[in-house]
Amino acid sequence: MRLSVLCILLVVFGSIAAADADISFQSPSGNIRCDMSRDATLAVRCDLGVDQQSYTRRPVTCQGRWGTSFGLNQTGVGGLICVTDTDAGPEGRRVLPYGRRAILDGITCLSERTGVTCTNIEGGGFEVRRAEQRVF
């Protein structure tokens, strides 16, 4: 019954929403992969699968990959993440079609032909695109 209600909400609102689960999705191109979670340090993390990046000044404290991973919490501004783990890749991720949203606990991620934009209830967030990225 609960799954039926969730499916009806997806059809009506055109979004991926979760009642009690985490959300993993990728852009239709597979170039952007995101994880939304209630139990992680960050509410949402998106990884960009290309090496062209807008942010190239790696902090001295970062010993991992820099400039292609972005994170956001329910409040505050978006930011870049120093990543030492491996991105899980596209396996098992649902495609979030262009024009659709994934929503979890006040965070909304919108998939567009130009990329993915994630924002929180305070207006903080990030835009991840193949050629350009921006945090706000």
Side-chain angles (χ1 to χ4, degrees):
M1 179 65 181
R2 189 174 194 180
L3 182 58
S4 298
V5 172
L6 180 58
C7 290
I8 291 169
L9 288 173
L10 289 173
V11 171
V12 172
F13 294 107
S15 302
I16 295 175
D20 295 315
D22 294 343
I23 300 171
S24 290
F25 67 89
Q26 65 180 341
S27 63
S29 70
N31 187 49
I32 302 168
R33 295 170 301 282
C34 300
D35 295 307
M36 302 175 85
S37 177
R38 289 190 171 109
D39 298 325
T41 303
L42 292 168
V44 64
R45 170 183 163 179
C46 290
D47 295 296
L48 180 61
V50 298
D51 292 330
Q52 185 173 354
Q53 55 205 52
S54 297
Y55 300 94
T56 56
R57 293 188 87 153
R58 176 192 312 265
V60 272
T61 57
C62 177
Q63 299 301 312
R65 289 182 301 137
W66 176 260
T68 56
S69 296
F70 298 81
L72 180 65
N73 282 310
Q74 280 84 12
T75 59
V77 297
L80 279 89
I81 307 166
C82 179
V83 178
T84 57
D85 62 347
T86 307
D87 177 29
E91 295 79 26
R93 294 177 192 269
R94 295 175 55 184
V95 171
L96 184 61
Y98 299 130
R100 302 290 177 99
R101 291 174 170 79
I103 302 166
L104 183 67
D105 288 347
I107 304 267
T108 300
C109 292
L110 171 63
S111 175
E112 300 174 284
R113 291 192 184 281
T114 56
V116 173
T117 302
C118 295
T119 55
N120 61 25
I121 57 175
E122 292 182 344
F126 56 81
E127 285 182 331
V128 180
R129 300 176 178 183
R130 183 178 298 271
E132 181 182 31
Q133 304 85 48
R134 178 176 77 97
V135 294
F136 51 91

